[in-house]
Amino acid sequence: MVRPNEEVEALLQEYADLIAITGGDAFKARAYEKAARAIGGYPADVSHLDAAGLKEIPGVGKSIAEKVIEYFRTGKVTVVEERRAQIPAGVRQLITIPTLGPKKAMALYEDLHISSVSELADAIEAEKLRDLKGFGEKTEENILHGIALMQQAGGRILLGTAMEAAEDIVAELSRVTGCEHCAYAGSLRRMKETIGDIDILVAADRSAPFMDALTELPSTTEIIVHGEKKTSIRTVKGLQVDLRVVRPDAWGAGLQYFTGSKGHNIRTRTIAVHLGLKLSEYGLFETEGGKRVASRSEDEVYARLGLPWIPPTLREDRGEIEAGLRGELPEVVTEQDIRGDLHTHTDLTDGLAPLEEMVAAASKRGYAYYAVTDHAPNLYMQRMTDEKILAQREHARSLDGKHHGMRLLHGTELNIGPEGEVDWPDEFLKGFDICVASVHSHFSLGRKAMTRRIVRACDNPHINVIGHPTTRLIGKRPGIDADLDEVFAACARTGTALEINAQPDRLDLGDEDILRARSHGAKFAIDTDAHSIVQLAYVRYGIGTAQRGWLTPDDVINTWPLRRLRRFLHKDRAD
């Protein structure tokens, strides 16, 4: 089930977009955007709050609180419905295109009567946009790129969205009488950054109770197939869920088979054939005679094939079979290995919670250390000043060690400018325990300039981590055009870590880039970039991505003891 907070976040964000489309007050639209983010990141279930409780959330005033209460009471908000009625459905579809804002979408409808993505693509091909005010050849290129991004994403959904839905369904089916095992499988278990369909597997003697239970879940809105061996439904969020039930004695074989990937399974079946065996979702059988020799657990199946158990995140036919046969499979990093988070934000800039609350929440995760890294002044909308950051430093120092001995690192997220410059001079940067540096603007620099920009940041002796290195937003914004191999080599040379940003819409670096960077000898930091308490749990997605990149704890600086981490952060500076 979707968290009520996320439902409200989506509704308020839509209302903000509708205000912008209809030419409403820009300040009002921004207020609703801010409230949407605040509610989405609020740790408590907002459906249980009254007006007074809602108004305690940053950015939520009387009017917004009333709308939230109306939504939970009636299932809709009157003013949102009224705004929707003013906007043709086609225009609302247009604003889902990355790079196309609401004002331009409305202009396209009013001036050219464009109300669909296909009509827009045809109009660009016919060069009809160039005569419109505010449009031009470059605008056309950007819109076409946005359409391509949307089509590339297709029906796929972000890892985090799929995970929340799958875990809710697994929890519900696990309560059905007769369930011996229940788990999600497929690309979700392999922690791919986007998911097509959600695969759920159950081990039980009878399938019917589980097939019925899936169709009867409150989140089920459409039954696609309802059968004895497979049932498929669509959720209220539009996610397709495929359920299969296997006998308990075939659980291991079924889980291995339905986890995939296709390439990995082809390799394991090929090994089976060479051993005179046949591998399927029902088990591992002798070719002659049909005797089943393994099936109850994945460990058993892999062992009979002469392999160690292979973590699902490695099962992409990228050398894991060969490494397993040689006994060289990596002991990949796990969430239990993480000793601290090195990139987080508070309400001093664009976070939602004050420092004390973020620190307390991090301590509850059992961290040995934790860094707060609010934005520096060159990200102008955050209005950071020297005085504010120094006051925060004093506050952080007063909290150091006060939560179960957890050590606090005071840092900042700097902005890498077009020439590789950052917000503060060297003398001021010396005062920070850690500096993350990220690209937040000028995304369209040429390849050479972009590469030089990031390499120069790596060469800065005070910069410890390159945050979200490619700047991509999955399905919305492509990564920057830079020679990443040169960047990775610079990171290895200078002792600058590359971030694996665990935000589900970033997962940046991605797994393929991690593999390349690792070959250069670079080190990594798995960070949440948390802007709320809830987002501290996103570390799991960063871990999954790091595992897909074959990283071990030694590759990841925030698995290290604090003393070793501090040596790395010093970057061998003369001071």
Side-chain angles (χ1 to χ4, degrees):
M1 295 287 290
V2 179
R3 290 177 69 235
N5 301 41
E6 294 173 2
E7 294 178 27
V8 175
E9 179 182 17
L11 183 73
L12 295 182
Q13 181 59 58
E14 180 189 0
Y15 188 49
D17 291 339
L18 293 174
I19 292 171
I21 292 172
T22 53
D25 180 30
F27 178 81
K28 182 177 180 180
R30 286 196 297 272
Y32 275 91
E33 287 177 355
K34 184 177 180 180
R37 290 195 302 271
I39 289 174
Y42 196 65
D45 185 339
V46 295
S47 66
H48 297 155
L49 301 179
D50 59 12
L54 287 166
K55 285 190 286 186
E56 291 181 3
I57 302 173
V60 177
K62 180 175 180 290
S63 178
I64 293 176
E66 289 173 350
K67 291 178 177 63
V68 174
I69 290 171
E70 179 187 358
Y71 174 71
F72 286 120
R73 187 180 70 248
T74 67
K76 61 183 181 180
V77 176
T78 303
V79 293
V80 177
E81 297 296 319
E82 291 172 351
R83 289 273 183 171
R84 284 173 177 165
Q86 297 175 29
I87 312 294
V91 178
R92 297 203 298 272
Q93 182 189 27
L94 290 179
I95 65 171
T96 64
I97 301 172
T99 73
L100 184 63
K103 290 184 180 179
K104 279 188 165 57
M106 196 64 180
L108 290 169
Y109 177 78
E110 292 177 340
D111 295 339
L112 297 178
H113 309 293
I114 293 171
S115 60
S116 72
V117 176
S118 60
E119 289 177 359
L120 177 56
D122 291 342
I124 292 174
E125 185 177 353
E127 299 183 356
K128 292 182 178 180
L129 273 61
R130 299 183 183 184
D131 295 331
L132 297 182
K133 183 180 180 181
F135 290 79
E137 188 175 351
K138 185 63 176 178
T139 307
E140 290 178 341
E141 291 176 6
N142 290 338
I143 293 173
L144 284 175
H145 186 66
I147 293 173
L149 282 173
M150 187 170 66
Q151 292 171 339
Q152 184 180 2
R156 298 185 71 81
I157 55 175
L158 294 177
L159 173 62
T161 303
M163 185 67 75
E164 290 179 6
E167 289 183 334
D168 284 340
I169 293 169
V170 166
E172 293 290 341
L173 296 183
S174 295
R175 286 193 279 267
V176 176
T177 302
C179 178
E180 294 203 16
H181 302 285
C182 183
Y184 52 82
S187 55
L188 179 58
R189 189 170 179 234
R190 302 197 314 275
M191 298 291 280
K192 290 198 69 172
E193 61 195 36
T194 60
I195 311 299
D197 303 329
I198 297 174
D199 295 297
I200 304 290
L201 193 66
V202 166
D205 291 320
R206 296 177 60 239
S207 66
F210 300 92
M211 302 304 187
D212 292 341
L214 180 66
T215 64
E216 294 166 3
L217 289 177
S219 58
T220 297
T221 188
E222 177 188 354
I223 300 171
I224 301 169
V225 177
H226 188 179
E228 182 180 344
K229 293 185 176 181
K230 177 183 176 182
T231 291
S232 298
I233 60 96
R234 199 174 311 280
T235 73
V236 292
K237 292 284 285 183
L239 314 180
Q240 181 171 325
V241 180
D242 299 330
L243 169 65
R244 296 172 178 84
V245 179
V246 298
R247 294 186 62 83
D249 59 4
W251 171 252
L255 189 59
Q256 192 278 331
Y257 179 87
F258 289 113
T259 294
S261 66
K262 181 179 179 181
H264 179 86
N265 284 356
I266 289 172
R267 298 297 303 278
T268 53
R269 288 199 300 271
T270 300
I271 292 174
V273 169
H274 290 159
L275 295 173
L277 303 169
K278 180 181 179 181
L279 178 62
S280 72
E281 64 265 44
Y282 303 108
L284 190 59
F285 301 87
E286 292 179 349
T287 304
E288 294 184 11
K291 179 184 176 182
R292 184 160 58 184
V293 297
S295 64
R296 286 190 171 274
S297 71
E298 285 191 322
D299 296 68
E300 183 180 273
V301 171
Y302 279 112
R304 188 63 181 80
L305 295 174
L307 290 163
W309 179 79
I310 299 176
T313 44
L314 299 186
R315 301 181 197 176
E316 297 291 350
D317 191 22
R318 295 197 288 208
E320 71 277 7
I321 297 291
E322 293 81 355
L325 290 171
R326 295 193 305 266
E328 297 175 358
L329 209 61
E331 292 288 335
V332 288
V333 63
T334 68
E335 193 168 346
Q336 289 68 43
D337 294 318
I338 297 296
R339 296 179 187 238
D341 200 331
L342 300 180
H343 180 182
T344 67
H345 298 274
T346 74
D347 62 356
L348 183 62
T349 54
D350 58 347
L352 301 177
L355 178 63
E356 298 95 327
E357 293 180 13
M358 292 297 287
V359 169
S363 174
K364 287 179 181 178
R365 299 187 66 80
Y367 287 154
Y369 46 80
Y370 175 77
V372 56
T373 54
D374 275 314
H375 289 289
N378 286 359
L379 204 60
Y380 298 110
M381 69 284 292
Q382 307 306 338
R383 298 177 180 174
M384 179 57 78
T385 64
D386 294 6
E387 292 74 21
K388 285 182 180 180
I389 202 73
L390 291 175
Q392 184 189 63
R393 181 176 301 164
E394 289 303 310
H395 192 184
R397 297 287 185 258
S398 72
L399 296 172
D400 185 26
K402 298 293 178 62
H403 289 268
H404 305 288
M406 186 179 75
R407 303 303 306 273
L408 287 190
L409 303 179
H410 185 248
T412 184
E413 184 181 10
L414 301 163
N415 306 282
I416 304 175
E419 299 297 326
E421 72 277 13
V422 293
D423 310 64
W424 279 303
D426 287 352
E427 196 61 34
F428 196 83
L429 293 179
K430 285 181 181 179
F432 290 102
D433 297 313
I434 181 171
C435 291
V436 178
S438 311
V439 170
H440 291 110
S441 64
H442 299 85
F443 300 121
S444 59
L445 283 182
R447 184 178 179 84
K448 287 185 178 179
M450 186 67 79
T451 305
R452 184 172 60 248
R453 170 190 197 179
I454 302 175
V455 169
R456 183 180 174 192
C458 294
D459 285 328
N460 187 314
H462 302 287
I463 291 176
N464 308 115
V465 180
I466 301 297
H468 42 76
T470 76
T471 80
R472 73 169 182 173
L473 293 173
I474 299 171
K476 295 181 179 179
R477 185 173 72 205
I480 53 177
D481 183 16
D483 184 338
L484 292 181
D485 286 298
E486 186 174 338
V487 171
F488 299 156
C491 284
R493 171 177 56 81
T494 61
T496 308
L498 288 154
E499 182 174 72
I500 300 171
N501 189 295
Q503 291 282 325
D505 63 345
R506 287 190 184 273
L507 298 181
D508 182 13
L509 290 171
D511 56 356
E512 293 182 359
D513 288 333
I514 292 170
L515 287 164
R516 287 166 57 196
R518 183 171 178 265
S519 71
H520 284 277
K523 296 298 183 183
F524 304 83
I526 301 173
D527 300 326
T528 63
D529 192 3
H531 286 64
S532 67
I533 290 169
V534 171
Q535 292 182 359
L536 290 172
Y538 285 171
V539 66
R540 65 189 302 196
Y541 305 124
I543 290 290
T545 303
Q547 289 181 350
R548 290 178 59 80
W550 290 51
L551 296 189
T552 68
D554 192 58
D555 297 314
V556 180
I557 65 172
N558 50 322
T559 69
W560 299 351
L562 182 57
R563 181 173 295 182
R564 182 183 177 190
L565 174 64
R566 285 193 185 277
R567 287 199 302 269
F568 180 87
L569 297 179
H570 197 259
K571 289 183 77 168
D572 295 324
R573 292 193 297 268
D575 58 281

